[in-house]
């Protein structure tokens, strides 16, 4: 099982970012995918989960309206888009297999998103 | 502020045992059996160590064990080793289709 994430990005306040997570080594549609972020020196924050079977999503309440999670079954890739970025969105963003009651048993390497003017 | 409360830090000497607690404010830990523990070394992605309160994924040392009593889950590491020094996070499914993480505990091996 391997989750390969896209590279680091620097964004200006107010911009949007889209992070990708390419899954391999297992049946993509058998597991959901979650996104978790970690601000510098801080703990883990759950952002949301997407079903790879029907694209059902559940988002953290604080991110509702700013985050969209999608999947592309043909390429076994998941995406997380975050809009209206602010400085407090500066963090390492992780995708992880699992969620919705299932443990996060495999994680991507993380993608550093820096929001700075 | 996290709704799952963990001690900020714990420490122990090699060979000793330590326990990290995780207490749920809203009853999430007590109600659901979906409690997981993750280990994170500096600059690395988290690693699943315990799931469903007591189960260890394949490849995780049996020195790691999990338990739950009421609204508090615990991670115990026995026969402490230097490589166990890391941050540890508990996590609980809340039942309204969301997940909570604890604030994290820094384990120092003296």
């Amino acid at each position: 099982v391997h989750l390969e994430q896209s590279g680091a990005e620097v964004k200006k306040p107010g911009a949007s970012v889209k992070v990708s997570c390419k899954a391999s080594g297992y049946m993509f549609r058998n597991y959901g995918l979650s996104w978790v972020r970690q601000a510098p020196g801080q703990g883990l924050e759950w952002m949301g989960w997407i079903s790879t079977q029907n694209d059902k999503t559940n988002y953290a309440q604080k991110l509702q309206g700013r985050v969209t999670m999608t999947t592309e079954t043909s390429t076994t890739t998941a995406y997380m888009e975050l809009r209206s970025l602010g400085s407090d969105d500066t963090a390492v963003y992780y995708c992880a297999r699992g969620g919705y009651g299932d443990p996060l048993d495999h994680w991507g390497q993380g993608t550093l998103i820096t929001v700075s003017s | 502020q996290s709704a799952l409360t963990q001690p900020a830090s714990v420490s122990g000497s090699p060979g000793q045992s330590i326990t990290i607690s995780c207490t749920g404010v809203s009853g999430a830990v007590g109600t659901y059996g979906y409690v997981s523990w993750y280990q994170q070394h500096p600059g690395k992605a988290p690693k699943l160590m315990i799931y469903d309160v007591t189960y260890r994924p394949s490849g995780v040392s049996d020195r790691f064990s999990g338990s739950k009593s009421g609204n508090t889950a615990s991670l115990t590491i026995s026969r402490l080793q230097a490589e166990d020094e890391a941050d540890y996070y508990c996590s609980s499914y809340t039942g309204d289709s969301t997940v909570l993480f604890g604030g994290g505990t820094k384990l120092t091996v003296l």
Side-chain angles (χ1 to χ4, degrees):
Chain A
V1 176
H2 186 67
L3 301 174
E4 184 70 27
Q5 298 183 222
S6 49
E9 300 195 53
V10 179
K11 294 293 185 179
K12 294 202 181 299
S16 299
V17 69
K18 193 170 186 177
V19 180
S20 67
C21 172
K22 165 75 173 173
S24 60
Y26 71 99
M27 292 296 291
F28 184 70
R29 297 189 70 183
N30 284 359
Y31 297 85
L33 278 164
S34 297
W35 291 88
V36 176
R37 69 179 180 178
Q38 186 171 36
Q42 302 301 309
L44 302 175
E45 179 186 10
W46 181 80
M47 298 180 67
W49 166 89
I50 183 166
S51 166
T52 55
Q53 293 188 341
N54 57 21
D55 286 335
K56 174 183 175 180
T57 54
N58 286 306
Y59 300 137
Q61 187 173 8
K62 69 176 287 188
L63 297 175
Q64 289 274 1
R66 283 209 301 137
V67 67
T68 300
M69 297 175 187
T70 57
T71 63
E72 192 172 77
T73 302
S74 61
T75 60
T76 65
T77 302
Y79 299 91
M80 185 284 301
E81 180 180 32
L82 190 61
R83 299 175 292 278
S84 301
L85 292 169
S87 58
D88 56 353
D89 292 314
T90 293
V92 175
Y93 289 75
Y94 294 100
C95 63
R97 190 180 80 166
Y100 202 80
D102 293 327
L104 306 182
D105 62 354
H106 289 87
W107 294 63
Q109 82 275 20
T111 297
L112 175 61
I113 302 299
T114 304
V115 183
S116 174
S117 55
Chain B
Q1 185 174 356
S2 173
L4 296 182
T5 302
Q6 300 180 230
S9 63
V10 298
S11 62
S13 299
Q16 289 185 332
S17 294
I18 64 95
T19 296
I20 300 172
S21 62
C22 172
T23 301
V25 172
S26 58
V29 171
T31 302
Y32 300 99
Y34 301 132
V35 177
S36 299
W37 289 90
Y38 299 89
Q39 176 193 64
Q40 187 181 35
H41 288 108
K44 300 295 186 181
K47 175 186 177 183
L48 178 67
M49 305 302 285
I50 296 288
Y51 68 97
D52 293 354
V53 180
T54 62
Y55 294 89
R56 270 189 317 275
S58 174
V60 172
S61 170
D62 62 2
R63 297 185 299 106
F64 291 83
S65 63
S67 63
K68 188 181 77 170
S69 177
N71 205 35
T72 298
S74 298
L75 172 71
T76 297
I77 309 174
S78 58
R79 305 187 302 280
L80 209 56
Q81 299 179 359
E83 68 204 48
D84 299 332
E85 185 162 295
D87 293 326
Y88 291 85
Y89 295 89
C90 64
S91 173
S92 176
Y93 175 69
T94 67
D96 64 352
S97 305
T98 62
V99 173
L100 290 173
F101 281 102
T105 298
K106 181 177 180 61
L107 169 61
T108 301
V109 180
L110 303 171

